[in-house]
Amino acid sequence: MHLLQKTIDNVFIEIGNLEIYWYAILILSGALLAYFLALREGKRIGVDGSFLETLVLFGIPIAIVGARIYYVIFEWDHFRYNLSSIFNIRGGGLAIYGAIIAGLIWAFWLTRRYNVDLLRVIDLAAVGFLLAQAIGRWGNFMNQEAYGGVVSRDFLERLLIPKFVIDQMYIDGNYHHPTFLYESVWNTLGFGLMLGLRRTKKLYVGDLGLVYLMWYGLGRAYIEGMRTDSLYLGSIRISQLLSILMVIGGAVVFILRHVKKWRPQYYYELLEENGADPKEIL
């Protein structure tokens, strides 16, 4: 139990006894923005909007369930004697890697059922998902969670971090690394990078998914080492280990694809096939 000095209320609105938290609003806002971006780009590369609607409509709750299952698995000692608490998502406990795994399984199944190219869907999802993660991390800010070790206020001020963020990072009598902010900025930069990459003539269909693995994995591996709330497998930070494996796996497959010419259909060719302007970013 943390003794928090809250400067910002994490409740968005109260309706009777029902409290809707900023965390939920930000997560859903990020997901919806990613969906609308995928709709626009989907038209340009030949992915049907009704398919994307089904993918997202069921994909969001599936991802939430996956995020919860992942968290419960690695915090089983906390839940084993109080199984009913597993369903108390309002008490916190979602892990993004669980959401990614569940989302990939759902996308794989749905694309096979509707005969849609999985690699195109992964490219769409990778770009939007990175943006959604950047927005969703601000839910951690509102809840004063996903922060790092103790630092001085002077240190935070030297980083030119806004005062309202610094004040919110005063927890248990100390200031902490705003690791949520570090990851949000990193993901936003990655989003911009991927927007630019998909308008080049160097990327194969499916490469953006590999770029996501490398970019997100690299940032998360470093930032995870700063956090105070990691999930562990023995003495290993499980998210840090997965992140490192993502970087290595993504880099190896990316290099092999281009050296061995695996699935050498270029992304820009899809744009041309569907009469889209390759130079139009959004």
Side-chain angles (χ1 to χ4, degrees):
M1 175 77 66
H2 291 297
L3 300 176
L4 306 178
Q5 175 178 305
K6 280 194 172 291
T7 59
I8 298 176
D9 191 355
N10 64 349
V11 177
F12 174 72
I13 191 172
E14 293 184 35
I15 305 174
N17 294 326
L18 176 65
E19 293 182 334
I20 299 176
Y21 291 91
W22 272 107
Y23 184 87
I25 296 297
L26 289 164
I27 290 290
L28 289 176
S29 296
L32 288 174
L33 183 55
Y35 167 61
F36 288 124
L37 288 173
L39 280 178
R40 286 180 59 84
E41 187 68 10
K43 293 178 181 178
R44 296 170 178 157
I45 64 172
V47 178
D48 185 68
S50 62
F51 169 83
L52 291 174
E53 181 180 340
T54 302
L55 179 73
V56 173
L57 182 63
F58 293 97
I60 290 176
I62 287 172
I64 291 173
V65 170
R68 183 60 169 179
I69 290 174
Y70 183 99
Y71 181 84
V72 169
I73 288 173
F74 290 104
E75 287 286 296
W76 180 242
D77 287 342
H78 173 75
F79 292 100
R80 64 190 304 177
Y81 300 113
N82 185 14
L83 296 181
S84 63
S85 64
I86 292 175
F87 305 98
N88 181 26
I89 296 180
R90 290 172 62 84
L94 298 175
I96 190 63
Y97 279 133
I100 293 173
I101 293 169
L104 281 174
I105 294 172
W106 167 240
F108 177 77
W109 181 85
L110 197 67
T111 53
R112 285 179 63 86
R113 178 175 181 180
Y114 288 94
N115 195 30
V116 175
D117 184 0
L118 176 62
L119 294 182
R120 297 190 196 191
V121 174
I122 287 176
D123 280 343
L124 291 176
V127 178
F129 203 72
L130 204 55
L131 177 62
Q133 287 176 275
I135 296 171
R137 278 303 177 194
W138 284 89
N140 298 133
F141 165 75
M142 302 300 295
N143 287 347
Q144 285 188 306
E145 61 190 9
Y147 53 82
V150 173
V151 294
S152 68
R153 185 180 180 95
D154 286 343
F155 172 84
L156 297 177
E157 290 176 344
R158 287 197 298 272
L159 296 179
L160 303 180
I161 294 173
K163 182 178 182 299
F164 74 92
V165 174
I166 295 175
D167 291 342
Q168 186 77 341
M169 287 298 98
Y170 187 75
I171 303 167
D172 289 341
N174 293 288
Y175 290 97
H176 292 261
H177 276 292
T179 48
F180 85 90
L181 178 62
Y182 302 159
E183 189 172 322
S184 181
V185 171
W186 179 257
N187 291 344
T188 301
L189 292 173
F191 170 69
L193 171 67
M194 292 170 77
L195 285 181
L197 284 176
R198 71 182 184 184
R199 292 299 182 262
T200 68
K201 293 190 175 183
K202 301 296 183 181
L203 243 60
Y204 292 161
V205 177
D207 277 353
L208 286 171
L210 298 173
V211 172
Y212 171 86
L213 293 179
M214 292 184 285
W215 183 270
Y216 181 70
L218 181 63
R220 181 64 185 270
Y222 180 78
I223 295 168
E224 186 70 21
M226 305 170 67
R227 286 177 54 168
T228 61
D229 61 344
S230 297
L231 298 174
Y232 284 86
L233 183 62
S235 60
I236 299 173
R237 295 175 189 258
I238 187 64
S239 292
Q240 195 169 43
L241 174 62
L242 283 176
S243 298
I244 293 170
L245 292 176
M246 284 168 56
V247 175
I248 296 172
V252 169
V253 175
F254 186 92
I255 292 170
L256 287 176
R257 288 193 83 197
H258 287 261
V259 171
K260 301 293 186 180
K261 304 297 183 182
W262 293 349
R263 291 292 298 271
Q265 182 181 23
Y266 288 97
Y267 192 92
Y268 80 89
E269 292 176 341
L270 292 181
L271 297 171
E272 293 179 342
E273 287 174 9
N274 288 276
D277 181 3
K279 297 180 180 180
E280 187 177 12
I281 299 299
L282 287 173

